[in-house]
Amino acid sequence: MEIPDRTLLDRYLTGRDEAAFGLLVGRYLDQVHATARRVTGNDELARDVAQSTFIRLAQRAALIPRQVPLTSWLHHTTRCLAVDLVRAESRRKKRELDSTLVPTAMDTSPPEPDWSALAPVVDELVDQLPAADRDLVLLRYYRNESHAAIATRLGLTESAARKRAFRAVEKLRILLGKRGLPTTAAALATLLPAHAAPSAPALLAGSVLQATQGVTPILPHFLTTLLHAVNTTQKIALGGSFLLLLAATGYSLAPLPGPANSTTGSAVASLPSGRAGERSASRDHGIRPAPATAQERYERLKAIVAIPISTQRQSEMIGYLEGLPPTLHEETLRDLGSLTTRLDSGLLRLALSSWAKNDPAAAANFIHGQSQRDPWPDSTSVLQDWALADPPAAMAWAIQNHTGEKVSESEDIPASIVIATVARTNLELVPALIDLIPTESDRESLIRRIGYEGSWNPEFIKKMLVVLAPPERDLLLGTLTGYVRMPAEGTENYVRTPAEGAAILKANPGAVEYANPEFLYQSWAKQDLAAARADVDELPPGPLRDRATNGLIQGLSMSDPQQALEFMESHPDLITQNTRDIFISSTKSQPELALRQIPLMDEEDRRISCLATHIGAWLKQDPAAAGKWLEQHPQPPAVTELLPEK
């Protein structure tokens, strides 16, 4: 049975039990790191925030009221620290760099947004939920706990826990809708468990625990003052009263820091020897030569995997790997693969990282063939380290191991991992690496992936636009106009409003080929019809005007078909046959409107077929109105022959 969070906190506070704190880090690191990554949009900043969050937990554990679930406290603290760090970084960059490109501003996500649209705002909105609802969302969809476990934790029936979790996620859906991100509770129930708390980087837990060692927990201020004011005899006499007072106010008591021979030091020294031994092992894993036979090595790994304390388990694994000959890395990975699951793949990531330092090509080849199966991690971390050490070699491997299949913009491809990594440290090398890709379709997939990943990182995109030349530059700009969204507080986005996306396309005609102006202007019409119509009126003849008009008509046809018709009749020079087809197909339920445009169709056979189809549908819906229209608009025999006899 899992040890409750509060029990582990009490162990840490009363005995500085680092193993207990390590269990809390292992339990919540994925959630904390994932929240920080969504808010900062940056891996390095996310690691810093995760470390700061657990340092703050170590400092303020005694100040957390007992009735506040730790998962809620960590989520709120992580988001606040991440927002503060992003703001500080933004201010620093504004002092160092001039902003010269198009500004950013607004959310026009499609009716059913994917995770990329929800990620920038979901943590802020979860934090805005009432405390009871926030706790349920975090437990059910971030921590992925079962309804039965939540019911036990909160003292509810399983049925009540299920109903309350549904109501909580429904409130989150409403908040998202107010931000222009309409979705369903069912979609959220699928997206949140899949994306809200992915695995944190393999070595982050170790760095967090190292950073929190020696941190002194803070007492509530009134108790700190009082404890310093009384002598030892008085402390003993008042001890029972203190504990009762703390219990009444909802706090835990932690010992004050002191020298080795103080009360605190004695308390630590008197802990059971097993716990002290565990802490000692976690600090000094020791390097021992690998066992001589394969069976002995397997048994050693099996014993390491069975260690219940994650920090000690990882420490032992590091010691094993440091004594491992290079020729045994693959054997180690295969043995670990049979002993672990994806839920506990940290040891696999440690072993993979160790192998990659010695032979990145061999490690990448091995993991590339395993990554689609549990419990294997993907090859991202290997490629990132390799790209920093030897960019051309990493890129050559990425090109060789790309399947050639077309992938979505949100799907990682090996080359995009290499480019994104190299761009952080050696931007000038990026064009040469892109030129290594032999096929145009693969280069396009790569640039679109960069556009997707960089759409909420304006500084990165600005740098890429400086080093890229057409057609790659046009492709990147066109891709960016497809990701129009208003960023969450403390974050940024390259294109925030449809107007900004349209401005990019007007200033860069070559980008139109790679963009989706139809969706851009359709979204704009929903937000500000007058501005969208005025913009279309001012566009010069060409592909952008034709496609923008199509988007405008499509948006109007769904929201206000009568306005769409009036626009078409008042701007006949803007209307192409494709535009007319869009309007006609969008107004099947209002045939009287479609019939004002069908006679203008160019192809006679299609015109006759559409007339017969829409008139026939109208006769079924409203025979009297359709009959009256036919009397006023007699149709040729080619049409009437196709109508129902009645």
Side-chain angles (χ1 to χ4, degrees):
M1 182 177 177
E2 186 177 73
I3 303 174
D5 295 342
R6 178 54 61 178
T7 301
L8 294 174
L9 271 181
D10 290 343
R11 288 181 185 177
Y12 176 69
L13 287 168
T14 57
R16 302 293 173 82
D17 188 343
E18 293 170 7
F21 193 87
L23 285 175
L24 291 173
V25 172
R27 188 173 293 176
Y28 288 104
L29 181 59
D30 288 347
Q31 173 191 318
V32 167
H33 178 265
T35 301
R37 178 65 179 81
R38 282 191 294 277
V39 176
T40 63
N42 180 287
D43 287 325
E44 296 295 330
L45 295 181
R47 290 188 180 97
D48 291 343
V49 170
Q51 185 166 296
S52 298
T53 299
F54 284 102
I55 289 175
R56 182 162 294 189
L57 174 62
Q59 292 173 331
R60 303 188 180 185
L63 306 181
I64 303 173
R66 301 188 76 86
Q67 68 271 19
V68 175
L70 186 59
T71 183
S72 298
W73 186 91
L74 285 170
H75 181 266
H76 177 74
T77 301
T78 302
R79 199 187 72 80
C80 291
L81 289 174
V83 168
D84 289 345
L85 184 57
V86 168
R87 287 173 177 167
E89 280 291 297
S90 179
R91 288 193 294 269
R92 180 183 65 80
K93 290 177 181 178
K94 285 178 180 177
R95 289 194 298 266
E96 296 175 352
L97 299 173
D98 292 328
S99 266
T100 56
L101 293 183
V102 182
T104 6
M106 191 88 246
D107 180 9
T108 59
S109 301
E112 198 59 60
D114 60 11
W115 182 248
S116 65
L118 299 179
V121 300
V122 68
D123 295 294
E124 177 190 358
L125 298 182
V126 167
D127 217 23
Q128 292 177 9
L129 290 171
D133 295 318
R134 180 174 64 247
D135 296 343
L136 279 164
V137 168
L138 292 172
L139 290 170
R140 180 71 185 100
Y141 300 105
Y142 279 57
R143 299 279 298 141
N144 205 25
E145 292 191 10
S146 67
H147 290 109
I150 294 171
T152 301
R153 183 191 289 260
L154 300 181
L156 305 171
T157 65
E158 185 172 347
S159 175
R162 190 183 305 276
K163 291 177 182 178
R164 290 191 187 183
F166 177 82
R167 286 198 293 266
V169 84
E170 179 64 19
K171 291 179 182 178
L172 178 60
R173 181 195 67 77
I174 293 171
L175 290 177
L176 285 165
K178 292 179 179 178
R179 285 294 185 90
L181 291 168
T183 185
T184 63
L188 285 174
T190 301
L191 287 169
L192 286 171
H195 299 284
S199 298
L203 301 180
L204 183 56
S207 64
V208 167
L209 289 170
Q210 184 177 2
T212 56
Q213 281 188 2
V215 173
T216 301
I218 301 170
L219 278 171
H221 179 70
F222 72 96
L223 290 175
T224 305
T225 304
L226 186 57
L227 284 173
H228 279 297
V230 299
N231 59 35
T232 302
T233 303
Q234 291 170 323
K235 288 178 184 177
I236 295 172
L238 293 172
S241 301
F242 276 174
L243 292 175
L244 290 173
L245 176 60
L246 286 170
T249 54
Y251 292 101
S252 299
L253 177 61
L256 287 172
N261 61 354
S262 68
T263 305
T264 301
S266 300
V268 175
S270 65
L271 287 173
S273 59
R275 183 182 300 166
E278 291 167 0
R279 290 204 306 276
S280 175
S282 69
R283 291 194 193 94
D284 183 16
H285 47 71
I287 301 174
R288 289 184 288 169
T293 68
Q295 183 59 36
E296 289 174 337
R297 290 191 292 273
Y298 180 85
E299 293 300 327
R300 173 85 180 278
L301 288 172
K302 187 176 180 180
I304 292 173
V305 170
I307 295 173
I309 301 172
S310 61
T311 52
Q312 185 182 356
R313 186 167 62 245
Q314 292 182 4
S315 180
E316 288 292 329
M317 190 68 218
I318 292 171
Y320 179 86
L321 293 171
E322 289 179 351
L324 192 69
T327 55
L328 295 180
H329 279 294
E330 181 173 347
E331 175 196 280
T332 301
L333 262 295
R334 293 190 183 280
D335 287 346
L336 281 174
S338 67
L339 291 169
T340 60
T341 68
R342 185 173 291 275
L343 294 176
D344 185 23
S345 58
L347 299 185
L348 278 172
R349 292 195 290 270
L350 282 174
L352 183 62
S353 177
S354 176
W355 190 8
K357 291 177 182 177
N358 292 289
D359 190 347
N365 283 329
F366 175 81
I367 204 65
H368 188 66
Q370 309 290 339
S371 58
Q372 300 304 313
R373 310 198 320 263
D374 284 343
W376 301 101
D378 60 31
S379 57
T380 300
S381 60
V382 175
L383 271 179
Q384 288 172 334
D385 293 341
W386 194 4
L388 291 173
D390 189 350
M395 192 65 172
W397 184 92
I399 294 169
Q400 182 180 355
N401 287 275
H402 178 47
T403 62
E405 299 175 359
K406 188 171 180 61
V407 296
S408 67
E409 292 169 14
S410 60
E411 184 177 348
D412 270 326
I413 56 177
S416 72
I417 298 170
V418 175
I419 292 294
T421 304
V422 173
R424 295 201 298 265
T425 58
N426 194 352
L427 191 66
E428 293 74 17
L429 189 58
V430 167
L433 293 176
I434 293 175
D435 287 342
L436 294 175
I437 301 176
T439 67
E440 183 178 345
S441 62
D442 285 349
R443 284 196 296 274
E444 180 175 339
S445 293
L446 171 63
I447 299 297
R448 289 196 179 278
R449 173 61 193 176
I450 291 172
Y452 168 80
E453 185 66 32
S455 60
W456 47 73
N457 189 346
E459 294 302 327
F460 170 73
I461 291 299
K462 291 175 185 178
K463 293 176 182 178
M464 291 297 295
L465 291 173
V466 169
V467 298
L468 292 179
E472 285 81 10
R473 189 177 189 277
D474 291 333
L475 174 56
L476 180 56
L477 285 169
T479 300
L480 288 166
T481 62
Y483 297 105
V484 180
R485 61 175 76 85
M486 175 65 78
E489 180 183 359
T491 65
E492 299 180 83
N493 202 67
Y494 191 77
V495 184
R496 297 188 299 179
T497 64
E500 291 174 3
I504 290 174
L505 296 182
K506 288 185 285 187
N508 301 274
V512 175
E513 176 185 353
Y514 306 104
N516 187 355
E518 292 87 348
F519 176 71
L520 198 64
Y521 279 83
Q522 178 184 339
S523 302
W524 197 356
K526 292 179 181 178
Q527 294 177 16
D528 190 340
L529 176 59
R533 288 183 62 164
D535 193 81
V536 170
D537 286 341
E538 295 174 0
L539 291 174
L544 178 57
R545 188 180 76 167
D546 293 344
R547 297 178 64 184
T549 303
N550 290 346
L552 183 64
I553 295 302
Q554 188 167 3
L556 282 174
S557 298
M558 291 187 291
S559 61
D560 192 337
Q562 185 64 47
Q563 275 206 58
L565 181 62
E566 291 172 2
F567 180 85
M568 295 174 70
E569 293 178 340
S570 62
H571 296 76
D573 58 317
L574 297 181
I575 307 306
T576 64
Q577 186 56 54
N578 188 38
T579 308
R580 188 171 287 112
D581 288 344
I582 290 172
F583 174 77
I584 292 170
S585 64
S586 300
T587 52
K588 290 181 179 178
S589 61
Q590 295 175 283
E592 68 276 16
L593 298 181
L595 288 169
R596 288 168 63 174
Q597 284 292 316
I598 293 175
L600 302 177
M601 295 175 69
D602 296 331
E603 297 179 21
E604 183 179 10
D605 289 345
R606 289 190 66 231
R607 183 171 65 248
I608 291 172
S609 176
C610 282
L611 282 168
T613 300
H614 282 72
I615 294 172
W618 197 5
L619 285 168
K620 292 180 180 179
Q621 293 175 15
D622 190 344
K628 184 177 180 180
W629 185 89
L630 279 172
E631 292 175 2
Q632 297 171 351
H633 304 85
Q635 298 298 307
V639 174
T640 57
E641 289 173 359
L642 298 175
L643 296 176
E645 292 184 7
K646 182 177 179 180

